Amino acid sequence: RSFSAISGCCHSRIGYAAIHVQAASATSQGKKRRGRSFATAPGEASLKHTPYGQRGSGFYTDATRGCFDVIHRLRTPVLKAVEEALGRRTAKKDFTSPFRIMDLGTADAGTSMPLIRECVKLVRATPGFASVPVEVIYEDQPGNDWNSVFARTQGTVPTPNVPKDAGGLGDLENCFVLASGTSFYNTCCAPGTVDVAFCATAFHWLTDTPAIIPDALHSACTGDPVALKAFQQQADADWRKILKARGRELKPGARLVVANFAKDGNGYFLGLSARTESMHDNFARIWKDLVTPAEFQATNFPNHYRSLEECAAPFGAGGLFNGLKLLEAETAIVPCPYLDGWLADPSKRTPAEQATHYVPTTRTWSNSTFLAGLADTRGQQEKEAMVDELFAAYAAHVAKDPNNHGMDYCHSYLVMEKEEAEKVAAGSGKIPSQTRGISTRALAKPSVLNWSTPCGADIFVATAKGSLSNELPGNGGLRIWDYADTNEAITEAIGLAKSMESKHSVYNTGFAGAKVVVNASSSADNKLTIDKKALMLQLGQVLNDLDGTMYTGCDMNSDLDDMELLVSKTPYVLAGIPNLALNPNDATAFGVLGSLEAIADSRFGGVKGTSLVVHGLGNVGNTVARELLAAGATVYVYDILPGRAAELPGAIDLANKLSGNSTLAWASTLPEHDIFVPCSKSSLIDVENALALPAKAICGSANIPFASSDAEDAFTSRDRIFIPESITSAGAVIADSVEHFDLKLFKEAEPKSIYAFTRSIVYSKTMEALDVLKDKQVPVKEMVKQMSEQSSSQKPIGQLFSTFGVRKANVNQNRVFGSSSQRSYTTVSGPMRSFSSAVEKPQDVCIIGAGIMGMNIAYQMKRRDPALNVTILERAPGLGFGSSGWSTGFLRAFYSFDNTMELALDGIHAYKNWGDYTELGSEAEAYFTHTGALWMLGKSHADSMAIHERLKKYNVQSEVLDGGGVSKKFPALSTEPYPEFNMETGDVVDKDWGDLWAVYEYGCGHMDSSSCLRDIHMACERVGVNFRFNSRVQEILSNPAASEAEGVKLVDGSKVMAGTVLNCAGPWFQSLNQTVGVKTSTEMLPTRIQVGHMSLPEDEDLLSLPFVADFWGNSGVY
């Protein structure tokens, strides 16, 4: 088992050997056939599936009449999907954006054209959609016969079942034909833009031929279990890629309808049914006699006929995969029309004519596979002659008894739907993708994959329950150790994966329990000798091969420096890398602190005065001990490296008591204490030490602290408390969940916000565990199981972070790598806060929108009347998702109306004194940057003087400048007018723009909008404003007379009652006004403004430029 960076090589895993076979005739440039070059998309099985027939002739459709019948069977679900899409768009009043239909694996577009026409006509017949543009996207590989696609859609080649005078799709007005050669293994168009997608007889093609089939040409016919398993695994991986791509393309609620070639419960598949001989077996028999053994093996078809179970496998018991829900699945056989025609009237053709009539339909899709299997030593003409001979021999065989030959189509018919996020948020009981359903974990057994590497280490990826999957990916840190043998490494990997499973399930992180363990050599002094850089590069390749089903991070002997290197090779790393100031070890430490605080609060009257022994002062233990000392606890410490204890002033070092007692009952040498905190190695406490340990409770970060279940029982039987690491040591996996589910907020959050979140969550979970353990009859394992089952129906914990009141960090962050002692530690003080901010009682004021307007109003209301109950509802998961977050934040006095100028000046005063206004003082992040404003509006001298006088009336200093004055004041600015262009020729129109006059306004400047939002949010919280994020308002509620507001109704069906409702929803406020019949005197429409950003060199003339309103000439720029 070896690694290789060469494209096409595979890495074998425990249980099977995957062997890549490259056809002898393969070249990197594509296959040439009769002088034409055919391309294959990245990920396609090279050379083995290229078009057959004269390009532009429409040969495929003419020779594949059975596909019309297959697609006709898709008619009902496809038209239903169109109806559903039209219904959703009507509800949203979307009558302008194009209606997009995607035909995947289209071939020459002929067989699907009748259905496409029906879809377009259904759109046109629906009220409101008569003139809506319809886009039909035809997808296939780059080497497809695109000439025929356009010939058929434009009507230059007629299509069966389509009126000859229709011109293909030409008679359908406002219908646009688009083509994508991206390959359906990848995303073919913009995310969330496809209304309906379907595929007929294409998804069975694979990205590679994964193994030699020794006894057949097709996996459906092989009796070799190794080859069959390799094809099944390749087909499963490719199917998941296809589904993931479709999940990205489809709009929420949109449907994908598929007819997949299948092998049904009776063992029937394409070309083999109750009435026919096996087409594939006949191909193999004839081909074997024509070619060499090596060529026969190189001819294996790179496709697989999935069973219905294989098609449904990615969706699991919950029926969901990557946002797609499986609605319908069945298998059925569509009879071959060529055989039906013969059986209906054998006198119509002779047997030889029937063979000639039927056999071409088998060649349209198989011809290139046979050509690709032939050796390069043969010339192109010889190859084509041999394939001609094959089909001639097959035709001769068919002619002997046409009654037994036909290509009956065996398919699985599938209907899938993209989940609508709002349905999930509404508490419908549906399990969204990437979240946990209990059934996805049911009764599965641990499994281990392994790879050997050139750097001399073995990599093991262990899962606690079953195989890895995209809907519930594995997550566990990278542990590097010198194990005695492979069995020891695998045993520890499985044990650690089980421990991770408990953590993930207890907190519903959205991940499954897994672990990456590396068995590496070490020197006599126990230092690892492995090349860590080489290991990270090879591990990155492993994670990429696992394709998003496994994520890893830091653990024993792997640190943030390693993760930095690893993340440069693979995206499947969760170690806090996107947030440069965050330390995952600190996230674990603060989780442990939360658990310790819960035990201390419930059993010992608080942390202050409680005695604890911290065993292990590594990255986690050091922080735990430091924080406990700061909280007034009595802290005993021990570490195998004696210098570590010296870094903790006030801690009592136990090194003299414990050193040299590793084989004895070391616990008996410890002083009496309240809580033992294991933060060191696994299996630390055996039965003897469990009986001798003078502690009332055990709570720490070490995974698997007990050497055996007997040891655990020995401790708890003494009426002692044990809170397992699945609860206490979950800070890092909680942070992983935040990083995975709310990456934007994770990047921007101050580390102390994340630490406080983990501390609060673990504190609450520990209190829950202590309550369960009051019942002496409940074992610890049963308690963990109960808590896991309760969590499984909740949102992933990472999605709750946005409701926690997150403080965002400054953009410029720096992480110091290389030594944990160089990292700073942040104490998160203050009371524990609930992560749920739900409003239970009626409010005085409900404000819709947590933008700069909504929060400022809330802030002023609470300042004026602290007794008011004010709640802000925000549809986004955090601050800055709307217009306020994207604002340039520019502040100026000059506006067209006097009352607007008065408001602007009042605002400028507040922003220039921002710390005083928010009462945050020096804590405020935002600050005013003066730039001034240059108004180059193309106005005359008289008009410019009028602006100057208006500003003067409001005590705003300004000056009027001519072109020379502008150049003198701002040398970097051009004073030339922006030219006007002839829109047909592109030539500059010669035009006299007159003299340049401009007004320079002093006192203008800008504030960073995101910083302002964070500051005003903090100010609001301090005066007692309630916030609810992820709370989208559906309508405003009023009394029966519609004269008074009574509150709002959210999209999840819940209500917030309030006597006053303020609509601060930004550009989209009008839609909410309409729910209570409120109309504005002028029509308000959301308008997009384009804002560009560019970096400037360190040039004083450039850096001192003012805000410029440039309408000098025909610029159109503001």
Side-chain angles (χ1 to χ4, degrees):
R1 298 185 175 97
S2 63
F3 269 89
S4 172
I6 301 173
S7 175
C9 291
C10 298
H11 316 297
S12 61
R13 302 175 184 171
I14 291 176
Y16 76 96
I19 305 168
H20 172 75
V21 181
Q22 186 171 3
S25 61
T27 70
S28 61
Q29 300 300 316
K31 178 184 72 65
K32 289 188 176 180
R33 179 182 169 278
R34 293 192 176 129
R36 300 185 182 90
S37 177
F38 294 91
T40 54
E44 296 279 4
S46 179
L47 310 176
K48 289 198 169 187
H49 183 210
T50 51
Y52 175 72
Q54 180 65 38
R55 294 177 76 81
S57 68
F59 177 84
Y60 178 87
T61 291
D62 290 342
T64 318
R65 297 302 176 91
C67 281
F68 282 99
D69 297 331
V70 173
I71 293 177
H72 182 75
R73 204 175 186 284
L74 294 179
R75 176 181 179 274
T76 298
V78 169
L79 293 179
K80 177 66 174 176
V82 173
E83 288 179 353
E84 294 282 341
L86 291 168
R88 286 190 304 276
R89 290 181 50 147
T90 300
K92 296 177 181 178
K93 296 182 172 55
D94 180 5
F95 301 114
T96 55
S97 63
F99 190 95
R100 182 167 285 180
I101 304 168
M102 181 177 281
D103 176 6
L104 295 142
T106 188
D108 67 1
T111 55
S112 65
M113 191 174 294
L115 180 55
I116 291 288
R117 290 179 60 83
E118 280 197 85
C119 291
V120 176
K121 289 179 179 179
L122 179 56
V123 173
R124 291 283 174 262
T126 302
F129 292 89
S131 59
V132 170
V134 176
E135 293 179 349
V136 182
I137 300 179
Y138 289 103
E139 182 283 328
D140 214 303
Q141 57 186 331
N144 184 53
D145 183 4
W146 293 107
N147 290 1
S148 289
V149 171
F150 296 117
R152 288 202 180 277
T153 56
Q154 304 306 317
T156 57
V157 171
T159 298
N161 304 320
V162 174
K164 292 183 178 180
D165 58 353
L169 301 179
D171 62 325
L172 302 175
E173 293 184 4
N174 219 11
C175 179
F176 302 92
V177 172
L178 307 174
S180 169
T182 303
S183 167
F184 50 58
Y185 297 107
N186 304 307
T187 306
C188 300
C189 59
T193 61
V194 176
D195 291 279
V196 175
F198 69 88
C199 174
T201 67
F203 287 165
H204 58 294
W205 290 99
L206 305 179
T207 56
D208 199 3
T209 308
I212 294 173
I213 303 175
D215 56 342
L217 296 179
H218 198 282
S219 63
C221 303
T222 183
D224 183 78
V226 174
L228 179 59
K229 187 171 184 179
F231 269 84
Q232 289 171 334
Q233 290 175 327
Q234 182 72 54
D236 180 67
D238 288 348
W239 181 226
R240 291 172 189 269
K241 286 182 183 178
I242 291 167
L243 294 175
K244 287 171 69 175
R246 306 294 80 77
R248 289 189 288 267
E249 293 163 346
L250 292 173
K251 291 180 178 179
R255 291 187 177 184
L256 167 67
V257 182
V258 176
N260 263 343
F261 275 130
K263 191 169 186 178
D264 69 10
N266 295 316
Y268 297 144
F269 51 87
L270 179 68
L272 173 64
S273 66
R275 64 178 186 168
T276 67
E277 293 181 11
S278 171
M279 170 189 66
H280 279 292
D281 283 341
N282 279 318
F283 283 163
R285 174 182 53 78
I286 297 169
W287 192 241
K288 199 167 190 176
D289 291 339
L290 293 175
V291 300
T292 67
E295 288 173 322
F296 181 84
Q297 291 186 340
T299 311
N300 293 172
F301 279 87
N303 61 51
H304 181 72
Y305 302 152
R306 300 176 183 90
S307 66
L308 195 61
E309 291 73 22
E310 288 175 299
C311 289
F315 298 92
L320 282 169
F321 177 75
N322 204 55
L324 291 178
K325 182 172 184 177
L326 183 61
L327 301 180
E328 300 174 17
E330 63 174 344
T331 56
I333 291 179
V334 171
C336 174
Y338 299 95
L339 179 55
D340 279 358
W342 168 261
L343 295 176
D345 186 5
S347 64
K348 192 173 182 179
R349 297 182 181 90
T350 66
E353 289 172 338
Q354 170 61 14
T356 302
H357 181 57
Y358 154 66
V359 169
T361 197
T362 69
R363 190 170 186 174
T364 56
W365 49 271
S366 63
N367 187 83
S368 57
T369 300
F370 289 112
L371 281 172
L374 295 171
D376 277 344
T377 54
R378 301 184 190 273
Q380 185 64 27
Q381 287 186 341
E382 181 186 3
K383 292 180 182 181
E384 292 178 356
M386 291 181 69
V387 177
D388 287 341
E389 187 177 354
L390 161 71
F391 285 104
Y394 181 48
H397 180 67
V398 171
K400 293 176 181 177
D401 187 1
N403 292 344
N404 293 331
H405 297 280
M407 200 168 69
D408 287 346
Y409 294 85
C410 181
H411 283 90
S412 57
Y413 292 88
L414 311 168
V415 179
M416 289 151 277
E417 182 178 274
K418 176 73 173 289
E419 278 283 280
E420 296 187 73
E422 290 180 4
K423 288 183 180 179
V424 176
S428 62
K430 296 179 181 178
I431 304 170
S433 62
Q434 296 183 322
T435 63
R436 176 178 294 100
I438 296 174
S439 58
T440 62
R441 300 174 180 270
L443 302 179
K445 296 180 180 179
S447 64
V448 179
L449 308 176
N450 84 301
W451 294 257
S452 295
T453 70
C455 65
D458 289 327
I459 298 174
F460 301 89
V461 175
T463 59
K465 292 190 174 182
S467 58
L468 297 165
S469 67
N470 289 100
E471 64 268 24
L472 194 68
N475 174 249
L478 166 62
R479 176 165 295 199
I480 308 172
W481 193 251
D482 185 359
Y483 294 95
D485 53 36
T486 296
N487 287 336
E488 185 182 34
I490 291 175
T491 299
E492 173 140 295
I494 292 174
L496 293 171
K498 289 180 177 179
S499 176
M500 293 300 298
E501 170 67 17
S502 295
K503 295 179 186 181
H504 288 303
S505 59
V506 164
Y507 289 94
N508 193 5
T509 62
F511 293 100
K515 200 72 177 180
V516 181
V517 165
V518 174
N519 189 7
S521 59
S522 62
S523 59
D525 57 356
N526 294 324
K527 291 185 178 180
L528 295 173
T529 58
I530 190 172
D531 183 344
K532 291 279 283 292
K533 182 176 179 180
L535 175 63
M536 292 306 117
L537 296 178
Q538 290 152 13
L539 178 58
Q541 187 171 339
V542 167
L543 293 173
N544 287 332
D545 288 346
L546 293 175
D547 194 25
T549 62
M550 179 66 199
Y551 290 77
T552 195
C554 298
D555 195 71
M556 187 181 292
N557 290 320
S558 64
D559 56 25
L560 292 169
D561 296 328
D562 299 322
M563 295 303 110
E564 280 278 317
L565 178 58
L566 185 59
V567 83
S568 70
K569 300 301 177 185
T570 179
Y572 306 118
V573 177
L574 292 171
I577 301 298
N579 188 319
L580 296 179
L582 179 81
N583 188 327
N585 293 314
D586 285 353
T588 298
F590 281 105
V592 173
L593 285 165
S595 191
L596 291 170
E597 287 167 334
I599 297 172
D601 288 349
S602 66
R603 296 292 192 272
F604 308 116
V607 173
K608 187 175 183 180
T610 298
S611 58
L612 307 96
V613 171
V614 179
H615 191 284
L617 298 175
N619 293 330
V620 175
N622 188 299
T623 303
V624 170
R626 189 185 301 271
E627 294 291 326
L628 290 171
L629 287 166
T634 300
V635 182
Y636 301 90
V637 298
Y638 169 76
D639 194 274
I640 194 171
L641 299 177
R644 287 180 170 177
E647 298 173 1
L648 296 166
I652 304 167
D653 190 0
L654 297 176
N656 290 334
K657 289 181 174 290
L658 292 178
S659 295
N661 289 330
S662 59
T663 61
L664 305 176
W666 53 263
S668 62
T669 68
L670 296 178
E672 288 283 340
H673 57 285
D674 297 314
I675 309 175
F676 183 71
V677 187
C679 297
S680 53
K681 64 179 183 178
S682 302
S683 304
L684 173 68
I685 308 169
D686 58 17
V687 172
E688 186 176 5
N689 283 294
L691 292 171
L693 189 64
K696 301 177 182 67
I698 294 178
C699 168
S701 66
N703 289 317
I704 321 175
F706 289 103
S708 64
S709 58
D710 289 340
E712 181 182 325
D713 292 340
F715 181 78
T716 56
S717 65
R718 297 167 52 207
D719 198 20
R720 300 295 195 260
I721 298 170
F722 169 52
I723 305 298
E725 71 276 13
S726 55
I727 295 173
T728 64
S729 185
V733 299
I734 294 171
D736 286 350
S737 186
V738 175
E739 182 179 350
H740 188 66
F741 287 99
D742 202 340
L743 180 59
K744 184 177 186 296
L745 191 56
F746 180 85
K747 289 179 179 179
E748 298 172 345
E750 286 188 354
K752 66 181 181 182
S753 290
I754 298 174
Y755 301 153
F757 179 67
T758 61
R759 191 175 191 168
S760 176
I761 295 297
V762 177
Y763 180 95
S764 299
K765 192 67 71 173
T766 303
M767 281 297 196
E768 183 182 335
L770 290 169
D771 188 58
V772 175
L773 290 175
K774 286 179 181 178
D775 183 353
K776 308 287 187 198
Q777 303 302 314
V778 179
V780 172
K781 289 182 179 178
E782 181 61 29
M783 178 262 292
V784 171
K785 181 180 178 182
Q786 290 179 17
M787 296 174 72
S788 299
E789 291 175 351
Q790 291 170 4
S791 297
S792 66
S793 61
Q794 300 169 359
K795 286 183 178 181
I797 196 70
Q799 293 183 3
L800 300 178
F801 183 53
S802 61
T803 68
F804 188 70
V806 181
R807 175 96 170 144
K808 293 185 181 179
N810 291 324
V811 175
N812 295 320
Q813 302 171 340
N814 293 291
R815 170 183 278 153
V816 180
F817 292 101
S819 172
S820 61
S821 63
Q822 293 177 297
R823 300 189 180 101
S824 62
Y825 298 91
T826 305
T827 300
V828 183
S829 58
M832 292 296 162
R833 65 187 304 155
S834 168
F835 58 82
S836 173
S837 56
V839 180
E840 298 177 356
K841 61 182 181 180
Q843 299 295 291
D844 297 309
V845 180
C846 176
I847 298 175
I848 306 168
I852 196 68
M853 292 292 185
M855 287 195 287
N856 262 296
I857 292 170
Y859 176 57
Q860 291 295 344
M861 283 186 160
K862 287 290 287 185
R863 287 183 66 193
R864 285 161 171 72
D865 186 354
L868 278 178
N869 289 318
V870 180
T871 288
I872 298 179
L873 303 174
E874 169 57 47
R875 63 185 289 178
L879 302 173
F881 282 74
S883 302
S884 295
W886 294 102
S887 170
T888 57
F890 188 76
L891 307 166
R892 36 85 174 211
F894 174 61
Y895 281 92
S896 302
F897 302 103
D898 288 353
N899 56 356
T900 311
M901 290 184 67
E902 293 170 2
L903 287 169
L905 285 166
D906 188 59
I908 289 173
H909 177 75
Y911 284 114
K912 285 184 176 179
N913 300 278
W914 187 240
D916 295 336
Y917 175 77
T918 59
E919 298 181 351
L920 297 177
S922 61
E923 288 185 77
E925 286 185 55
Y927 54 88
F928 180 83
T929 300
H930 179 269
T931 62
L934 185 65
W935 302 98
M936 294 171 49
L937 304 178
K939 293 185 178 294
S940 65
H941 178 260
D943 289 338
S944 298
M945 287 301 299
I947 294 173
H948 169 72
E949 291 300 323
R950 282 190 68 219
L951 290 168
K952 185 177 180 180
K953 184 173 70 171
Y954 289 101
N955 297 316
V956 177
Q957 183 184 354
S958 68
E959 62 178 310
V960 177
L961 303 171
D962 61 9
V966 171
S967 296
K968 182 177 180 181
K969 196 173 187 71
F970 304 109
L973 280 181
S974 169
T975 58
E976 292 296 319
Y978 196 87
E980 181 177 328
F981 292 92
N982 184 308
M983 300 306 291
E984 294 184 359
T985 65
D987 297 330
V988 175
V989 176
D990 187 15
K991 188 171 182 177
D992 182 6
W993 295 97
D995 297 325
L996 168 63
W997 291 98
V999 178
Y1000 178 70
E1001 177 187 339
Y1002 290 87
C1004 303
H1006 64 81
M1007 303 276 284
D1008 177 68
S1009 57
S1010 295
S1011 299
C1012 285
L1013 291 175
R1014 291 192 289 270
D1015 286 340
I1016 196 64
H1017 176 259
M1018 178 179 286
C1020 284
E1021 285 201 316
R1022 288 187 176 181
V1023 296
V1025 175
N1026 299 309
F1027 283 87
R1028 287 182 61 177
F1029 292 95
N1030 287 316
S1031 299
R1032 183 175 181 176
V1033 175
Q1034 185 178 59
E1035 62 177 302
I1036 299 172
L1037 304 175
S1038 65
N1039 61 0
S1043 59
E1044 295 181 357
E1046 292 188 341
V1048 297
K1049 180 181 179 181
L1050 278 61
V1051 294
D1052 64 3
S1054 63
K1055 296 179 181 179
V1056 177
M1057 308 310 293
T1060 299
V1061 176
L1062 292 174
N1063 184 355
C1064 300
W1068 297 274
F1069 78 98
Q1070 189 160 262
S1071 62
L1072 286 175
N1073 280 359
Q1074 291 171 350
T1075 63
V1076 284
V1078 175
K1079 296 182 180 180
T1080 52
S1081 57
T1082 55
E1083 185 178 9
M1084 306 293 180
L1085 296 174
T1087 304
R1088 175 184 289 275
I1089 296 176
Q1090 291 182 323
V1091 179
H1093 296 266
M1094 64 181 295
S1095 298
L1096 297 176
E1098 292 293 331
D1099 185 308
E1100 186 60 33
D1101 287 341
L1102 291 173
L1103 296 177
S1104 61
L1105 284 173
F1107 167 85
V1108 181
D1110 182 6
F1111 209 71
W1112 172 229
N1114 192 40
S1115 71
V1117 177
Y1118 180 83

